[in-house]
Amino acid sequence: MAGVATTQDVFMLFGDSITQGSFEPGYIGFGQRLAHVYARKLDILNRGLSGYSTDWGLEVLKQCVVKRTDETHPAPQIRIITIWFGANDACLPPSPQHVPLQRFVSNLRQMIAIVRAAASGHTLPTRIILMTPPPVLASHRAALLAARDPPIALDRDFLVTKQYAEAVLAVAAIENVAVADIWSAVFKAAGEEEKNLDKFLVDGLHPNKAGYQVVYETLIVTIKEQYPDVHYDNIPFSFPEWKEINWDSPKESLDNVLFRRLIKRKNRDNPPPI
Amino acid sequence: MAGVATTQDVFMLFGDSITQGSFEPGYIGFGQRLAHVYARKLDILNRGLSGYSTDWGLEVLKQCVVKRTDETHPAPQIRIITIWFGANDACLPPSPQHVPLQRFVSNLRQMIAIVRAAASGHTLPTRIILMTPPPVLASHRAALLAARDPPIALDRDFLVTKQYAEAVLAVAAIENVAVADIWSAVFKAAGEEEKNLDKFLVDGLHPNKAGYQVVYETLIVTIKEQYPDVHYDNIPFSFPEWKEINWDSPKESLDNVLFRRLIKRKNRDNPPPI
């Protein structure tokens, strides 16, 4: 079997529909914007799963951060991962998406442990960023669900989702990882008035263009302040800019770029004895 | 060293700045749109390199489609690759980006050979799509270059780029691979009048939002008609939709999804004897 994609390390976006939809045309979602600013630096892998809770996401994550055993191969590494759940976990019982708050906390902590375990052999660390679910505009959501045939009872609540957002903040503190507090950023942008959330949510639940703008800005500030080593300004291009190529002998500039980078990393991790 | 990204196969976008910029906010580029429609199906890897000709791209491609030797690992495979050069190769001498037409043809054929060689061990084929460079609006380009300090002479020409586009069509025919003829599609959209190209190009060279719309539509029709097996409608989700999960026993639905898929592939390629 042949493989691929050894060229760049990755920035994995792991979460639910708000992550899955982050490249939607017309929204300028955070996935699209990250893919733009990290072009030629990190590959953005969309691991958003519409409707998923942490219960189900946990099983998926185990398969997304598989630890490789082949030591000789410069496999792509996860340089950053966002973990963004809560919007579905916070569904009200008896929704099959509902995950009790304590299990939600436990699932997030297990996800962090999985990422850390897979990263333990990396030459570079994996930067973990938790994200809080956005606030819910229950009246809008209720109206949409009531209009369905047959009508559906309201499945999410402003204060319950807020509890899940707070739980994410608590996990970040306990586990000592960064957090992008989307709940607070969107609520603040809405003037801390639930009724104003429609300016940022398309259906009382998912961000619209203005909502994704807040998401991107909150996330990129978190990266810049907490993990400057993986901010796009601080990651070099995988291959040189065209003006930096030796035009008379391009092979010299372009040959074995990946292996040279690997060796450079190894040297940094294991400096030669003085 | 730990690895990652075994979850999904990939759709690689290989080319110059028109590929690199395909996620730019405000443009709804073909990269963004592919990332949206292929979410949970294939990872879109942006391998666009601003300013690169085929001379330099050839060296890069060798490192982007590395053949793996580890037979036991379900490594991601390149299911589709777009190869989109010509915009820089067609630069007029003495530009360092200029590649003579015959070498351009030879470089493209070598790129196809590299992809085919790496794919030879795949359980699934790699679908190759050549793309023709968009037409150039030389008057706009000339004005922009003349306004630089110091002024720069016009480096591209409508008819020369047209020759490179025709060469791409010829290579596609010789090599029996699909081609998305962007040159003709954009020129047709402009009413076959060079002066109308400004509606589709931002600077006489790179597509704007309307230009990328033509690019996406031309490419997706090419996929649908020439390689329906890799059209997004025909590729299943990597992990099941949330409503299809066995809610009482989610592990049953979610466990070992990737290895199950690998085994399914192997069975299809090597059916048991009757």
Side-chain angles (χ1 to χ4, degrees), chain A residues 11 27-34 37-38 82 84 129 131 179-186 188-189 200 207-226 231-232, chain B residues 25:
Chain A
F11 187 150
Y27 279 10
I28 316 188
F30 74 111
Q32 175 196 0
R33 292 189 65 174
L34 292 170
V37 294
Y38 280 97
T82 52
W84 193 8
I129 301 176
M131 297 173 76
V179 61
D181 187 1
I182 305 302
W183 197 96
S184 299
V186 172
K188 191 179 166 195
F200 302 91
N208 61 14
K209 188 172 170 180
Y212 272 123
Q213 171 80 7
V214 175
V215 170
Y216 176 75
E217 285 173 2
T218 307
L219 178 58
I220 213 73
V221 166
T222 304
I223 292 170
K224 189 164 192 162
E225 292 179 352
Q226 304 287 314
H231 185 272
Y232 55 84

Coordinates of all heavy atoms in Angstrom, one line a residue, chain A residues 11 27-34 37-38 82 84 129 131 179-186 188-189 200 207-226 231-232, chain B residues 25:
Chain A
F11 N -3.1 20.4 11.6 CA -3.9 21.1 12.6 C -5.3 20.5 12.5 O -6.0 20.6 11.5 CB -4.0 22.6 12.2 CG -4.7 23.5 13.1 CD1 -4.3 24.9 13.2 CD2 -5.7 23.1 14.0 CE1 -4.9 25.8 14.1 CE2 -6.4 24.0 14.9 CZ -5.9 25.3 14.9
Y27 N -20.1 31.5 4.6 CA -19.9 31.8 6.0 C -18.5 32.3 6.4 O -18.3 32.8 7.5 CB -20.2 30.5 6.8 CG -21.7 30.3 7.0 CD1 -22.6 31.1 6.3 CD2 -22.1 29.3 7.9 CE1 -24.0 30.9 6.5 CE2 -23.5 29.1 8.1 CZ -24.4 29.9 7.4 OH -25.7 29.7 7.6
I28 N -17.5 32.0 5.6 CA -16.1 32.3 5.9 C -15.8 31.7 7.3 O -15.5 32.4 8.3 CB -15.8 33.8 5.9 CG1 -16.4 34.5 4.7 CG2 -14.3 34.1 6.0 CD1 -16.0 36.0 4.5
G29 N -16.1 30.4 7.4 CA -15.9 29.7 8.7 C -14.5 29.6 9.2 O -13.5 29.9 8.4
F30 N -14.3 29.2 10.4 CA -12.9 29.2 11.0 C -12.1 28.2 10.3 O -10.9 28.3 10.2 CB -12.9 29.1 12.5 CG -13.3 27.7 13.0 CD1 -12.3 27.0 13.7 CD2 -14.5 27.2 12.9 CE1 -12.6 25.7 14.2 CE2 -14.9 26.0 13.4 CZ -13.9 25.2 14.1
G31 N -12.7 27.1 9.8 CA -11.9 26.1 9.1 C -11.3 26.7 7.8 O -10.1 26.6 7.5
Q32 N -12.1 27.4 7.0 CA -11.6 28.0 5.8 C -10.5 29.0 6.1 O -9.5 29.0 5.5 CB -12.8 28.7 5.1 CG -12.3 29.5 3.9 CD -13.3 30.6 3.4 OE1 -14.3 30.7 3.9 NE2 -12.9 31.2 2.3
R33 N -10.7 29.8 7.1 CA -9.8 30.9 7.4 C -8.4 30.3 7.9 O -7.4 30.8 7.6 CB -10.3 31.9 8.4 CG -11.5 32.7 7.8 CD -12.0 33.8 8.7 NE -10.9 34.8 8.8 CZ -11.1 36.0 9.4 NH1 -12.3 36.2 10.0 NH2 -10.1 36.8 9.6
L34 N -8.5 29.2 8.7 CA -7.3 28.6 9.1 C -6.6 27.9 7.9 O -5.3 28.0 7.8 CB -7.6 27.5 10.2 CG -8.1 28.0 11.5 CD1 -8.6 26.9 12.4 CD2 -7.0 28.8 12.3
V37 N -4.7 30.8 6.3 CA -3.5 31.4 6.9 C -2.4 30.3 7.2 O -1.2 30.7 7.3 CB -3.8 32.1 8.2 CG1 -4.6 33.4 7.9 CG2 -4.5 31.2 9.3
Y38 N -2.8 29.0 7.2 CA -1.8 28.0 7.4 C -1.4 27.3 6.1 O -0.7 26.3 6.2 CB -2.3 26.9 8.4 CG -2.2 27.4 9.9 CD1 -3.2 27.9 10.6 CD2 -1.0 27.2 10.6 CE1 -3.1 28.3 11.9 CE2 -0.8 27.6 11.9 CZ -1.9 28.1 12.5 OH -1.7 28.5 13.9
T82 N -8.0 21.3 18.0 CA -9.1 21.9 18.8 C -10.1 20.8 19.1 O -10.4 19.9 18.3 CB -9.8 23.0 18.0 OG1 -10.2 22.5 16.7 CG2 -8.9 24.2 17.8
W84 N -13.9 20.5 20.4 CA -15.0 21.5 20.5 C -16.3 20.7 20.6 O -16.9 20.4 19.5 CB -15.0 22.5 19.4 CG -15.9 23.6 19.5 CD1 -16.6 24.0 20.7 CD2 -16.2 24.6 18.6 NE1 -17.3 25.1 20.5 CE2 -17.1 25.6 19.2 CE3 -15.9 24.9 17.2 CZ2 -17.6 26.7 18.5 CZ3 -16.3 26.0 16.6 CH2 -17.2 26.9 17.2
I129 N -6.3 22.7 22.4 CA -7.2 23.8 22.7 C -8.6 23.3 22.8 O -9.2 22.8 21.9 CB -7.2 24.9 21.6 CG1 -5.7 25.4 21.3 CG2 -8.1 26.1 21.9 CD1 -5.6 26.4 20.2
M131 N -12.6 24.2 23.3 CA -13.5 25.3 22.9 C -14.8 25.1 23.6 O -15.3 24.0 23.7 CB -13.6 25.4 21.4 CG -12.3 25.6 20.7 SD -12.4 25.5 18.9 CE -13.2 27.1 18.4
V179 N -7.9 27.3 26.4 CA -9.3 27.2 26.0 C -9.7 28.5 25.3 O -9.2 29.6 25.6 CB -10.2 27.0 27.3 CG1 -10.0 28.2 28.3 CG2 -11.6 26.9 27.0
A180 N -10.5 28.2 24.2 CA -11.0 29.4 23.4 C -12.5 29.4 23.9 O -13.3 28.6 23.6 CB -10.9 29.1 21.9
D181 N -12.8 30.5 24.7 CA -14.1 30.6 25.3 C -15.1 31.2 24.3 O -15.4 32.4 24.4 CB -14.0 31.4 26.6 CG -15.3 31.3 27.4 OD1 -16.3 30.7 26.9 OD2 -15.4 31.9 28.5
I182 N -15.6 30.4 23.4 CA -16.6 30.9 22.4 C -17.9 31.3 23.0 O -18.5 32.3 22.6 CB -16.8 29.8 21.3 CG1 -15.5 29.3 20.8 CG2 -17.8 30.2 20.3 CD1 -14.6 30.3 20.1
W183 N -18.3 30.6 24.0 CA -19.6 31.0 24.7 C -19.5 32.4 25.1 O -20.4 33.2 24.8 CB -19.9 30.0 25.9 CG -21.3 30.1 26.3 CD1 -22.3 29.2 26.0 CD2 -21.9 31.1 27.2 NE1 -23.5 29.6 26.6 CE2 -23.3 30.8 27.3 CE3 -21.4 32.2 27.8 CZ2 -24.2 31.5 28.0 CZ3 -22.3 33.0 28.6 CH2 -23.7 32.6 28.7
S184 N -18.5 32.8 25.9 CA -18.4 34.1 26.4 C -18.2 35.2 25.3 O -18.7 36.3 25.4 CB -17.3 34.2 27.4 OG -17.5 33.4 28.5
A185 N -17.4 34.8 24.3 CA -17.1 35.8 23.2 C -18.3 36.1 22.4 O -18.6 37.3 22.1 CB -16.0 35.2 22.3
V186 N -19.1 35.1 22.1 CA -20.3 35.3 21.3 C -21.4 36.1 22.2 O -22.0 37.0 21.7 CB -20.9 34.0 20.8 CG1 -22.3 34.2 20.2 CG2 -20.0 33.4 19.8
K188 N -20.8 38.0 24.7 CA -20.3 39.4 24.9 C -20.6 40.2 23.6 O -21.1 41.4 23.7 CB -18.8 39.4 25.1 CG -18.3 40.8 25.6 CD -16.8 40.7 25.9 CE -16.2 42.1 26.0 NZ -14.7 42.1 25.9
A189 N -20.4 39.6 22.4 CA -20.6 40.3 21.1 C -22.1 40.6 21.0 O -22.5 41.6 20.3 CB -20.2 39.5 20.0
F200 N -25.7 36.3 15.5 CA -24.5 35.5 15.4 C -24.8 34.0 15.2 O -23.9 33.2 14.9 CB -23.7 35.6 16.7 CG -23.3 37.0 17.0 CD1 -24.1 37.9 17.7 CD2 -22.1 37.5 16.4 CE1 -23.7 39.2 17.9 CE2 -21.8 38.9 16.6 CZ -22.6 39.7 17.4
P207 N -23.4 28.9 14.3 CA -22.9 30.2 14.0 C -23.2 30.6 12.5 O -23.2 29.7 11.7 CB -21.4 30.2 14.2 CG -21.1 29.0 15.0 CD -22.3 28.0 14.7
N208 N -23.5 31.8 12.3 CA -23.6 32.4 10.9 C -22.2 33.0 10.6 O -21.3 32.8 11.4 CB -24.8 33.3 10.8 CG -24.7 34.5 11.7 OD1 -23.6 34.8 12.2 ND2 -25.8 35.3 11.8
K209 N -22.2 33.8 9.6 CA -20.9 34.5 9.2 C -20.4 35.3 10.3 O -19.2 35.2 10.6 CB -21.2 35.3 7.9 CG -20.0 35.9 7.3 CD -20.4 36.6 6.0 CE -19.3 37.4 5.4 NZ -19.7 38.0 4.1
A210 N -21.2 36.1 10.9 CA -20.8 37.0 12.1 C -20.3 36.1 13.2 O -19.3 36.4 13.9 CB -21.9 37.9 12.5
G211 N -21.0 35.0 13.5 CA -20.7 34.1 14.6 C -19.3 33.5 14.3 O -18.4 33.4 15.2
Y212 N -19.1 33.0 13.1 CA -17.8 32.4 12.8 C -16.6 33.4 12.8 O -15.5 33.0 13.1 CB -17.8 31.7 11.4 CG -18.3 30.2 11.4 CD1 -19.4 29.8 10.7 CD2 -17.7 29.3 12.2 CE1 -19.9 28.5 10.7 CE2 -18.1 28.0 12.3 CZ -19.2 27.6 11.5 OH -19.7 26.3 11.5
Q213 N -17.0 34.6 12.6 CA -16.0 35.7 12.7 C -15.5 35.7 14.1 O -14.3 35.8 14.4 CB -16.6 37.0 12.2 CG -15.7 38.2 12.5 CD -14.6 38.4 11.5 OE1 -14.5 37.7 10.5 NE2 -13.7 39.4 11.8
V214 N -16.4 35.7 15.1 CA -16.1 35.7 16.5 C -15.3 34.5 16.9 O -14.3 34.5 17.6 CB -17.3 35.8 17.4 CG1 -17.0 35.7 18.9 CG2 -18.1 37.1 17.1
V215 N -15.7 33.3 16.3 CA -15.0 32.1 16.6 C -13.6 32.1 16.1 O -12.6 31.8 16.9 CB -15.7 30.9 15.8 CG1 -14.9 29.6 15.9 CG2 -17.1 30.6 16.4
Y216 N -13.4 32.6 14.9 CA -12.0 32.6 14.4 C -11.1 33.6 15.2 O -10.0 33.2 15.6 CB -12.0 33.1 12.9 CG -10.6 33.3 12.3 CD1 -9.8 32.1 12.0 CD2 -10.0 34.5 12.2 CE1 -8.6 32.3 11.5 CE2 -8.7 34.7 11.7 CZ -8.0 33.5 11.3 OH -6.7 33.7 10.9
E217 N -11.6 34.8 15.5 CA -10.8 35.7 16.2 C -10.5 35.3 17.6 O -9.4 35.4 18.1 CB -11.6 37.1 16.3 CG -11.5 37.8 14.9 CD -12.4 39.1 14.9 OE1 -13.0 39.4 15.9 OE2 -12.4 39.7 13.8
T218 N -11.4 34.6 18.3 CA -11.2 34.1 19.6 C -10.1 33.0 19.6 O -9.2 33.0 20.4 CB -12.5 33.6 20.2 OG1 -13.5 34.6 20.1 CG2 -12.3 33.1 21.7
L219 N -10.3 32.1 18.6 CA -9.3 31.0 18.5 C -7.9 31.5 18.1 O -6.9 31.1 18.7 CB -9.8 30.0 17.4 CG -8.9 28.8 17.1 CD1 -8.7 28.0 18.4 CD2 -9.6 28.0 16.0
I220 N -7.8 32.4 17.2 CA -6.5 32.8 16.8 C -5.8 33.6 17.9 O -4.5 33.5 18.0 CB -6.5 33.6 15.4 CG1 -5.3 33.3 14.6 CG2 -6.8 35.1 15.5 CD1 -5.2 31.9 14.0
V221 N -6.5 34.4 18.6 CA -5.9 35.1 19.8 C -5.4 34.1 20.8 O -4.3 34.2 21.4 CB -6.9 36.1 20.4 CG1 -6.4 36.6 21.8 CG2 -7.1 37.3 19.5
T222 N -6.2 33.0 21.0 CA -5.8 32.0 22.0 C -4.5 31.4 21.5 O -3.6 31.1 22.3 CB -6.9 30.9 22.1 OG1 -8.1 31.5 22.4 CG2 -6.6 29.8 23.1
I223 N -4.4 31.1 20.2 CA -3.2 30.5 19.7 C -2.0 31.4 19.9 O -0.9 31.1 20.3 CB -3.4 30.1 18.2 CG1 -4.4 28.9 18.1 CG2 -2.0 29.7 17.6 CD1 -4.8 28.6 16.6
K224 N -2.2 32.7 19.5 CA -1.2 33.7 19.6 C -0.6 33.9 21.0 O 0.6 34.0 21.2 CB -1.7 35.0 19.0 CG -0.6 36.0 18.8 CD -1.1 37.2 17.9 CE 0.1 38.0 17.5 NZ -0.3 38.9 16.4
E225 N -1.6 33.9 21.9 CA -1.1 34.1 23.3 C -0.7 32.9 24.1 O 0.3 33.0 24.9 CB -2.3 34.8 24.1 CG -2.6 36.2 23.6 CD -3.8 36.8 24.3 OE1 -4.5 36.2 25.1 OE2 -4.0 38.0 24.0
Q226 N -1.3 31.8 23.8 CA -1.0 30.6 24.6 C 0.0 29.7 24.0 O 0.8 29.0 24.7 CB -2.3 29.8 24.9 CG -3.5 30.6 25.5 CD -3.2 30.8 27.0 OE1 -2.9 29.9 27.7 NE2 -3.4 32.1 27.4
H231 N 1.4 29.4 16.2 CA 0.8 30.5 15.4 C 1.4 30.5 14.0 O 2.6 30.3 13.8 CB 1.0 31.9 16.1 CG 0.2 33.0 15.4 ND1 0.7 33.7 14.4 CD2 -1.0 33.5 15.7 CE1 -0.2 34.6 14.0 NE2 -1.2 34.5 14.8
Y232 N 0.5 30.8 13.0 CA 1.0 30.7 11.6 C 2.2 31.6 11.3 O 3.0 31.2 10.4 CB -0.2 30.9 10.6 CG -0.9 32.2 10.8 CD1 -0.4 33.4 10.2 CD2 -2.1 32.3 11.5 CE1 -1.1 34.6 10.4 CE2 -2.7 33.5 11.7 CZ -2.2 34.7 11.1 OH -2.9 35.9 11.2
Chain B
P25 N -10.5 34.0 2.1 CA -11.8 34.6 2.6 C -12.3 35.6 1.6 O -11.6 36.4 1.1 CB -11.4 35.3 3.9 CG -10.2 34.6 4.4 CD -9.5 34.2 3.2

